[in-house]
């Protein structure tokens, strides 16, 4: 099975991997900007997300293998690879396993270290969406608002809603599996992995995902890497300060 994607533009292949509970479509605005600069942008839905296939297996090893099958399917010899959060972990995994397939690696607001579980409220809220009774996105937002105060987070999650058929809403994300396997999302990159090509780590100035103390581990596993900070941005740095994020990415590419 091949991952679903939107492919924008023509030129040098640039694959973008979304974060947990996201989908490739979250990156469409920036994808269009990269395409205008001569890149063939692949906005990929990872397994159990977006329009891609569902599977009971949900590990970074499996997601890296999905990406290998994807680039082979499209005959992409060497790619630039950008991943955010969970997608960044997949990107690191892939680059370390298949370094000859990656020209440049970009990792947005995630490091190779392990992270504690912190998505419990989101998963709980989504599990309470009863699509036998909910008929509108507004009604679904009302349920989520009892657990998630931040409007931006709720709007991000609500992008997972779609019309299964007329009058019937459903979730694109495979909620059962990602909830069961949530510990996999926070796992560290294998400590023996090293990627020796150019790598850019981008972090949000208001995010705590990449701390100063993490630099030693990052340089150990990605010795040709540098870390840049996107101003006035948290974990969703590409959405909160897209212009500065875009400039950092383009300068690196």
């Amino acid at each position: 099975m091949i991952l679903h994607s939107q492919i924008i533009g023509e030129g040098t292949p640039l694959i973008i991997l979304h974060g947990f509970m996201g989908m490739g479509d979250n990156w469409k605005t920036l994808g269009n900007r990269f395409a205008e600069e001569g890149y063939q942008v692949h906005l990929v839905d990872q397994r159990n997300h977006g329009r891609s296939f569902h599977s009971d297996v949900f590990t970074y090893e499996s997601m890296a293998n999905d990406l290998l099958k994807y680039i082979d399917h499209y005959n992409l010899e060497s790619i630039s690879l950008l991943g955010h959060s969970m997608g960044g972990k997949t990107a690191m995994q892939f680059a370390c396993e298949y370094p000859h397939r990656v020209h440049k690696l970009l990792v947005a607001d995630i490091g190779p270290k392990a992270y504690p579980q912190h998505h419990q409220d989101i998963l709980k809220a989504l599990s309470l969406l009863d699509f036998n009774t909910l008929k509108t996105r507004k009604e679904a937002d009302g349920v989520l608002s009892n657990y998630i105060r931040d409007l931006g987070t709720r709007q991000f999650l609500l992008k997972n809603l779609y019309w299964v058929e007329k009058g019937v809403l459903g979730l694109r994300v495979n909620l059962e599996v990602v909830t069961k396997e949530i510990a996999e999302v926070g796992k560290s990159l294998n400590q023996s992995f090293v990627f020796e090509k150019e790598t850019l780590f981008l972090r949000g100035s208001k995010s705590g995902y990449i701390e100063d103390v993490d630099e030693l581990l990052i340089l150990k596993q990605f010795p040709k890497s540098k870390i840049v900070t996107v101003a006035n941005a948290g974990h969703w740095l590409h959405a909160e300060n897209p212009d500065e994020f875009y400039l950092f990415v383009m300068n690196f590419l």
Side-chain angles (χ1 to χ4, degrees):
M1 292 180 285
I2 303 301
L3 297 171
H4 177 269
S5 68
Q6 298 179 62
I7 301 174
I8 307 169
E10 297 180 359
T12 305
L14 170 62
I15 293 181
I16 301 180
L17 301 177
H18 61 81
F20 184 63
M21 306 301 294
M23 60 189 73
D25 191 63
N26 300 145
W27 286 80
K28 193 167 185 178
T29 300
L30 272 171
N32 285 327
R33 294 180 70 177
F34 295 138
E36 290 171 0
E37 297 294 333
Y39 288 89
Q40 183 187 69
V41 182
H42 295 248
L43 306 178
V44 173
D45 293 346
Q46 298 192 83
R47 67 166 57 197
N48 292 319
H49 289 73
R51 296 175 183 266
S52 281
F53 58 86
H54 288 185
S55 171
D56 290 338
V57 179
F58 189 57
T59 64
Y60 286 116
E61 291 83 2
S62 63
M63 289 189 278
N65 189 54
D66 292 341
L67 185 55
L68 179 64
K69 290 180 180 177
Y70 179 89
I71 67 173
D72 283 345
H73 177 77
Y74 286 100
N75 297 312
L76 306 177
E77 290 299 322
S78 180
I79 63 169
S80 290
L81 181 58
L82 165 60
H84 171 243
S85 197
M86 180 189 80
K89 274 279 178 72
T90 303
M92 286 186 270
Q93 178 85 26
F94 181 85
C96 290
E97 286 195 85
Y98 310 103
H100 59 291
R101 308 301 293 270
V102 179
H103 174 56
K104 286 188 174 183
L105 175 65
L106 303 96
V107 181
D109 215 54
I110 197 79
K113 68 180 182 181
Y115 289 83
Q117 295 183 36
H118 56 279
H119 298 99
Q120 291 89 333
D121 288 347
I122 285 174
L123 296 171
K124 175 68 173 178
L126 289 172
S127 73
L128 294 174
L129 295 177
D130 182 358
F131 295 114
N132 292 315
T133 59
L134 294 174
K135 299 302 178 185
T136 67
R137 291 175 182 271
K138 185 176 181 180
E139 290 175 358
D141 184 50
V143 174
L144 296 183
S145 66
N146 293 321
Y147 293 85
I148 304 166
R149 287 190 172 185
D150 182 64
L151 176 60
T153 301
R154 296 202 308 273
Q155 289 176 330
F156 168 76
L157 295 171
L158 288 168
K159 290 198 74 172
N160 279 284
L161 267 63
Y162 77 109
W163 295 107
V164 179
E165 58 185 66
K166 187 175 181 180
V168 180
L169 283 167
L171 280 176
R172 292 204 181 279
V173 67
N174 187 346
L175 188 62
E176 180 181 357
V177 169
V178 300
T179 300
K180 179 184 175 185
E181 304 295 341
I182 187 59
E184 292 289 328
V185 177
K187 282 189 173 180
S188 66
L189 188 70
N190 187 316
Q191 293 185 10
S192 67
F193 281 171
V194 176
F195 180 68
E196 296 182 345
K197 294 182 181 180
E198 285 186 88
T199 306
L200 180 68
F201 284 82
L202 304 104
R203 64 181 177 182
S205 63
K206 299 178 181 178
S207 171
Y209 273 70
I210 298 178
E211 301 173 301
D212 291 342
V213 71
D214 299 326
E215 185 173 354
L216 288 176
L217 176 60
I218 288 172
L219 286 173
K220 180 181 177 182
Q221 297 194 261
F222 300 88
K224 292 185 179 178
S225 67
K226 63 179 180 179
I227 303 170
V228 298
T229 303
V230 178
N232 302 313
H235 186 53
W236 282 281
L237 62 176
H238 57 291
E240 295 170 18
N241 192 346
D243 290 339
E244 187 167 300
F245 184 90
Y246 170 82
L247 288 175
F248 275 133
V249 169
M250 289 307 307
N251 287 337
F252 177 71
L253 291 177

